[in-house]
Amino acid sequence: MRQTIHDISFPVTEPGALDQDQAYFLLREADGTQRLRFHDYGEIYRRPGLYEQLFYERLRCTSPTKARDVLLKVLADSQQDVHGLRVLDLGAGNGMVGELLDAARVIGVDLLPEARDACERDRPHAYDAYYVTDMARLDADTARQMQHWQLDCLTCIAALGFGDIPVAAFAQAFNLIGAGGWIVFNVKETFLHEGDQTGFSRLVKELMFSQALEVHHLERYRHRLSIDGAPLFYYLMAGRKCADIGARWLDTRD
């Protein structure tokens, strides 16, 4: 991928004044300055190198490599090898996670066509297939295609919560993985707080103490920095799927 340097800056704010899903940056281009939210992924993906410059160079995001390393660890503990896995990467974006997975098959899926276009532009060899679809409303034909890959690992990194991927979409992806397959995902640390009753918080807590997932690794770590330089902590979870997520979590209204 050819490196493009973008002229970006962060607003002057009081520390902690902006929640993570409210954070924005200023992008100066030839035709003027734009204010983009961190979750304006379509606009970010259209500009080569902007995603990497923003999240990985400026904000020091560690999650893709952390997820890869934890997956390798739990596989080694179970005397398995990553080269035999068939991975579904949910919220694949422009392929930051996919290119790190040296698996037998790696399948990407994202809601945004801009994400697939950016991946084909920047990391064309990251995935064996890339689906642009709404997993919360997965149609029968796409479901059959995904099932054909005989998936036995799900990764979902820096994509859960904040409305990016709804609970039903994660549940659908989880249920596509065969029994005994591996599940690796991360969530913001507050999702595990007792007082958080959002859909993802309730689902993650249920997975931790249910028969659907056998947890092999749970770790709090620094995901990245905020725009004021404070660390943002996430939990990364890895485990083996034992059963499907219940039908009530497949309701798109949750």
Side-chain angles (χ1 to χ4, degrees):
M1 182 181 67
R2 184 174 66 85
Q3 186 68 25
T4 301
I5 304 300
H6 297 275
D7 187 352
I8 63 177
S9 61
F10 298 139
V12 178
T13 61
E14 293 293 325
L18 296 177
D19 290 338
Q20 191 173 334
D21 58 340
Q22 297 174 326
Y24 67 93
F25 66 101
L26 302 176
L27 175 65
R28 283 181 285 274
E29 297 179 302
D31 57 352
T33 298
Q34 292 196 63
R35 168 176 164 162
L36 295 177
R37 292 175 60 248
F38 282 13
H39 289 239
D40 288 335
Y41 293 122
E43 291 296 323
I44 293 172
Y45 287 140
R46 289 190 186 102
R47 296 161 170 84
L50 179 56
Y51 187 91
E52 291 82 355
Q53 183 180 338
L54 176 62
F55 290 107
Y56 292 88
E57 295 175 18
R58 290 292 299 273
L59 299 177
R60 307 298 184 193
C61 181
T62 65
S63 286
T65 54
K66 183 70 174 178
R68 186 269 318 272
D69 293 346
V70 167
L71 175 59
L72 294 179
K73 176 187 179 299
V74 296
L75 287 172
D77 291 344
S78 298
Q79 298 183 325
Q80 284 190 251
D81 193 290
V82 70
H83 300 109
L85 291 183
R86 296 170 174 265
V87 182
L88 178 64
D89 185 23
L90 177 63
N94 66 347
M96 295 291 292
V97 173
E99 73 169 352
L100 297 175
L101 299 175
D102 190 14
R105 296 288 184 271
V106 186
I107 311 304
V109 60
D110 203 288
L111 180 64
L112 298 177
E114 295 92 342
R116 177 198 57 199
D117 295 345
C119 184
E120 292 177 348
R121 177 193 67 214
D122 300 337
R123 297 175 180 83
H125 306 298
Y127 299 104
D128 295 282
Y130 197 119
Y131 295 93
V132 175
T133 188
D134 183 354
M135 290 294 294
R137 297 172 175 82
L138 188 62
D139 64 86
D141 182 60
T142 305
R144 281 192 296 268
Q145 292 182 46
M146 290 185 173
Q147 290 164 353
H148 180 73
W149 291 103
Q150 298 180 305
L151 301 162
D152 57 9
C153 181
L154 172 67
T155 58
C156 188
I157 305 303
L160 297 180
F162 307 112
D164 296 336
I165 294 179
V167 171
F170 180 80
Q172 287 276 17
F174 185 102
N175 289 352
L176 285 171
I177 306 303
W182 292 95
I183 309 293
V184 181
F185 65 96
N186 67 346
V187 290
K188 188 179 178 184
E189 65 172 347
T190 56
F191 289 169
L192 295 188
H193 290 175
E194 183 178 357
D196 191 329
Q197 293 299 311
T198 59
F200 260 116
S201 176
R202 291 186 288 113
L203 174 59
V204 171
K205 292 168 187 172
E206 181 171 311
L207 284 176
M208 291 174 62
F209 302 105
S210 73
Q211 297 180 352
L213 183 67
E214 177 185 82
V215 178
H216 285 228
H217 187 100
L218 178 64
E219 180 180 352
R220 180 180 182 266
Y221 72 102
R222 197 203 74 188
H223 163 59
R224 65 168 173 84
L225 301 176
S226 68
I227 60 174
D228 53 28
L232 296 176
F233 290 99
Y234 274 45
Y235 279 98
L236 191 136
M237 186 181 298
R240 300 193 80 157
K241 175 182 172 179
C242 302
D244 282 352
I245 290 176
R248 68 188 179 91
W249 293 107
L250 300 175
D251 188 341
T252 59
R253 295 169 297 178
D254 194 323

